[in-house]
């Protein structure tokens, strides 16, 4: 009984000091202040649409670089020789892209300021000239690589499976076969073309009809549909010079010549 009276007395004193209304108001203020304090945290987490897109793009770029790095390491470990070719190809592609961007910037500047080609600085004129002309390897440039194609790393027997499949597609052969069979078919096809080249060199390109010239170019990887007959004969002559200079152990170069001599040939439109 005494204890209950003491508790009642304490309640009365506390109630006189802090009214229920003030107590609940204080609780509400704390709650509101808590919400007020939470607002800045929420604003930090919730970004504007523009910032969201920027962060999303940054995330995608980071992830893409990580995946690309893993892919490069995978190729380097499992396909070292193919990785060398892949790296050279990608660097060449990046250089080509950079050259194209520079050419577009020069042409845009010419259009904005009404500048003629002959009014450009020397380096810009030369850059546009090279872009418009394109590049086509010379015969001596190709033959200088013959030793690389007679053995490691680009000999027919040393090529990786992915490389063999790519060459099969370039030679218009199916690539959906086991690599050993694809390799055998490529060697057979290249040997036949080499023999045809020797026979054609004896006959002379001038003895071929226009249709025979077109067919001969197509067999060797050049799409001659939109190329004039004279240019086809010139290209075929270059091919024969390379082919007749090769030994049987160097026929992998003739196989790759389907790409090397045909790509970027002036007038080719694939």
């Amino acid at each position: 009984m005494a204890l209950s009276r003491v508790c009642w007395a304490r309640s009365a004193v506390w109630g006189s000091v802090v009214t229920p209304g003030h107590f609940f108001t204080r609780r509400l203020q704390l709650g509101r202040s808590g919400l007020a304090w939470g607002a800045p945290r929420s604003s930090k987490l919730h970004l504007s649409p523009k910032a969201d897109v920027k962060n999303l793009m940054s995330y995608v770029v980071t992830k893409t670089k990580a995946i690309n790095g893993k892919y490069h390491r995978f190729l380097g470990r499992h396909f070292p020789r193919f990785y060398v070719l892949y790296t050279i190809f990608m660097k060449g592609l990046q250089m080509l892209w950079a050259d194209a961007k520079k050419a577009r910037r020069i042409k845009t500047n010419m259009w904005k300021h009404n500048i003629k080609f002959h009014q450009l600085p020397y380096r810009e004129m030369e850059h546009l000239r090279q872009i418009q002309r394109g590049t086509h390897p010379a015969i001596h440039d190709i033959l200088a690589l013959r030793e690389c194609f007679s053995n490691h790393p680009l000999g027919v027997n040393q090529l990786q499976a992915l490389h063999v499949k790519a060459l099969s597609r370039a030679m218009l052969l199916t690539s959906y076969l086991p690599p050993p069979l694809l390799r055998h078919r490529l060697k057979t096809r290249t040997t036949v073309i080499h023999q045809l080249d020797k026979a054609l060199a004896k006959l002379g390109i001038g003895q071929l009809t226009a249709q025979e010239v077109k067919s001969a170019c197509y067999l060797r990887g050049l799409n001659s549909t939109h190329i004039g007959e004279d240019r086809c004969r010139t290209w075929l002559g270059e091919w024969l010079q390379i082919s007749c200079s090769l030994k049987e152990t160097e026929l992998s170069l003739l196989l790759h010549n389907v790409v090397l001599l045909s790509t970027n040939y002036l007038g080719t439109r694939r």
Side-chain angles (χ1 to χ4, degrees), residues 58-110:
S58 177
Y59 173 79
V60 171
V61 170
T62 301
K63 286 296 183 182
T64 302
K65 288 183 178 179
I67 294 173
N68 190 48
K70 292 181 180 179
Y71 178 66
H72 277 252
R73 289 191 293 271
F74 172 80
L75 289 179
R77 288 195 303 266
H78 297 85
F79 307 100
R81 283 170 288 186
F82 173 77
Y83 179 66
V84 173
L85 295 176
Y86 171 80
T87 303
I88 294 174
F89 172 76
M90 292 304 297
K91 287 182 178 179
L93 189 62
Q94 292 173 357
M95 292 174 63
L96 179 63
W97 176 250
D99 288 342
K101 288 180 64 176
K102 183 177 180 181
R104 184 174 59 182
R105 179 182 59 78
I106 296 173
K107 290 183 177 180
T108 301
N109 187 58
M110 291 174 62

Side-chain angles (χ1 to χ4, degrees), residues 6 30 40 54 60 62 64 69 80 90 99 109 113 125 141 153 169 175 177 181 192 203 258 262:
V6 172
L30 289 174
K54 184 177 180 180
V60 171
T62 301
T64 302
M90 292 304 297
D99 288 342
N109 187 58
H113 300 89
M125 292 178 63
D141 292 331
R169 290 190 292 268
S175 59
L177 294 174
L181 184 56
V192 170
L203 175 64
V258 173
S262 302

Side-chain angles (χ1 to χ4, degrees), residues 47-62:
L47 304 174
S48 64
K50 185 176 180 180
D52 287 341
V53 172
K54 184 177 180 180
N55 283 337
L56 178 61
M57 292 299 297
S58 177
Y59 173 79
V60 171
V61 170
T62 301

